[in-house]
């Protein structure tokens, strides 16, 4: 399984995928990836509902990761998160990748809502979430909370 855009390949993170793909010194395998890979070993049905790798099609190198914090919950909601390496920022990659993963999630009937959070001062993330038609729903300490409902999508995200 993989998703493709004009400039990107987005594929679920697995141990095999990490062995096949070139990384840069800039991209680090964080603890969230290690935890997800451990969870995936215990429950293979998590594939797609955790970490995805974002690859630049030009050189097939990882420029970031995106994903969900688990399967849809009882309210038919998933939370999306993402990170792009510094050298690949401000080029539209985050918007492109998150847009594609949102389309993937909404292809499942049991996903009605996608939520996200970002720091109040993370202007780049705020811009990405606004471009994706997410609505700011609350502010909590240093975080902004966002949502996108299937029923509120008016055009392709």
């Amino acid at each position: 399984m993989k998703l493709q855009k004009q400039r990107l390949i987005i594929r679920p993170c697995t141990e095999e995928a990490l062995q096949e793909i070139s990384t840069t010194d800039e991209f680090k395998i964080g603890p969230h990836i290690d935890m997800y890979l451990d969870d995936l070993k215990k429950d293979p049905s998590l594939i797609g509902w955790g970490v995805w790798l974002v690859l630049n099609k030009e050189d097939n190198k990882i420029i970031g990761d995106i994903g969900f914090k688990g399967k849809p919950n009882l309210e038919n909601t998933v939370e999306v998160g993402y990170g792009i390496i510094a050298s690949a920022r401000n080029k539209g990659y985050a918007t492109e990748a998150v847009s594609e993963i949102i389309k993937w999630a909404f292809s499942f009937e049991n996903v009605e809502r996608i939520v996200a959070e970002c720091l109040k001062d993370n202007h780049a993330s705020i811009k990405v979430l606004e471009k994706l038609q997410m609505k700011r729903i609350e502010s909590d300490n240093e975080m902004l909370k966002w949502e996108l409902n299937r029923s509120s999508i008016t055009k392709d995200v």
Side-chain angles (χ1 to χ4, degrees):
M1 167 175 42
K2 67 179 159 181
L3 308 174
Q4 294 201 45
K5 295 292 282 178
Q6 184 177 349
R7 305 179 299 161
L8 302 175
I9 296 171
I10 305 146
R11 65 185 281 194
C13 181
T14 62
E15 288 184 7
E16 296 78 21
L18 288 171
Q19 291 170 1
E20 294 171 9
I21 300 167
S22 305
T23 60
T24 63
D25 292 338
E26 211 175 341
F27 182 82
K28 304 290 182 221
I29 305 297
H32 67 291
I33 292 177
D34 290 331
M35 286 187 325
Y36 169 68
L37 291 174
D38 285 343
D39 291 344
L40 190 58
K41 284 178 191 170
K42 297 172 198 155
D43 182 2
S45 73
L46 286 173
I47 195 82
W49 299 111
V51 180
W52 294 64
L53 303 171
V54 180
L55 310 167
N56 184 325
K57 264 189 180 178
E58 224 173 75
D59 59 10
N60 204 42
K61 289 193 177 174
I62 301 173
I63 60 168
D65 63 84
I66 61 174
F68 300 104
K69 296 180 181 179
K71 295 177 186 178
N73 64 20
L74 295 174
E75 289 84 38
N76 297 330
T77 299
V78 291
E79 182 175 349
V80 69
Y82 52 92
I84 300 294
I85 61 173
S87 65
R89 292 183 190 148
N90 298 312
K91 298 177 180 171
Y93 292 132
T95 303
E96 200 172 316
V98 179
S99 170
E100 198 63 20
I101 203 170
I102 284 173
K103 286 179 194 170
W104 180 85
F106 278 144
S107 75
F108 293 85
E109 288 183 19
N110 63 334
V111 177
E112 289 296 325
R113 184 172 152 229
I114 297 174
V115 296
E117 0 177 81
C118 70
L119 291 168
K120 287 181 179 178
D121 64 353
N122 188 339
H123 302 291
S125 261
I126 291 169
K127 193 173 170 183
V128 167
L129 296 170
E130 288 175 341
K131 282 182 187 175
L132 296 171
Q133 302 177 24
M134 294 193 95
K135 302 293 179 230
R136 196 177 307 182
I137 55 170
E138 80 181 75
S139 178
D140 180 16
N141 297 323
E142 295 298 312
M143 301 299 280
L144 297 174
K145 301 195 181 210
W146 303 78
E147 75 174 4
L148 180 64
N149 292 296
R150 177 194 301 270
S151 61
S152 68
I153 297 176
T154 56
K155 62 178 183 177
D156 254 356
V157 210

